[in-house]
Amino acid sequence: MTRKPILLVAFPALMLFLLAAERTATFLLGTYSASPTMWRIWLELRPFSTMFWQQVDFYIGGSMVLNAAIIFVASAACWMACQAKRSAGFFLANHAALLFAGLMIAAGSHSETASTIATFTAPRGFQFSLAIDFSLKNCLVLCLGLAACAYCHIAFLREARLRADARAVRMLALQRDL
């Protein structure tokens, strides 16, 4: 089984699609602000990317063209990483997308009703709570991310085994020649 670049880029592409969809919904919400459908779409997409775009707008500026350029450059980088001969590129792209999804869900959950509240104790005894919204869409995104992560690990380990087998064959050929 050879690795399929389209499967390796699927989850990072999903995350970039969610970012682009939220920006598009924001733009259309400004154009059609009286439409309840646009508000509903924007409110559904908002938890995945609001914190990210707030940081981008604060540090770089609030241009939609710049936001589109960021998404385009990130998608091109993910595609090139997944097409690369070495497996470290797709490994990093998938794991960065999974971490990004988890962080965006955790950061976006503070404004919604939490279904799970965990209390943690820091090393010095200071207690704090972590509220994460485990709604259906958040669980679906995280499950897709974990499936992409598992496929990434399988592809990475398969390639490592193939390299080790090729190295063993070369060593046997070298021993035979000596």
Side-chain angles (χ1 to χ4, degrees), residues 65-145:
V65 174
L66 183 62
N67 294 343
I70 289 171
I71 291 171
F72 178 75
V73 168
S75 61
C78 285
W79 180 253
M80 288 188 306
C82 292
Q83 291 289 334
K85 209 171 192 80
R86 304 290 271 159
S87 55
F90 70 81
F91 201 78
L92 291 175
N94 261 311
H95 286 78
L98 182 61
L99 287 173
F100 179 78
L103 287 173
M104 287 301 102
I105 289 170
S109 294
H110 74 279
S111 61
E112 298 179 9
T113 304
S115 60
T116 302
I117 298 177
T119 304
F120 298 98
T121 304
R124 290 184 175 68
F126 178 70
Q127 287 195 350
F128 60 94
S129 295
L130 177 64
I132 299 175
D133 179 24
F134 284 109
S135 65
L136 180 63
K137 65 180 178 182
N138 288 348
C139 289
L140 182 64
V141 167
L142 289 178
C143 286
L144 287 173

Side-chain angles (χ1 to χ4, degrees), residues 2-10 78-79 82-84 90 151:
T2 60
R3 70 178 181 188
K4 296 177 179 37
I6 196 72
L7 290 177
L8 294 171
V9 79
C78 285
W79 180 253
C82 292
Q83 291 289 334
F90 70 81
Y151 180 75

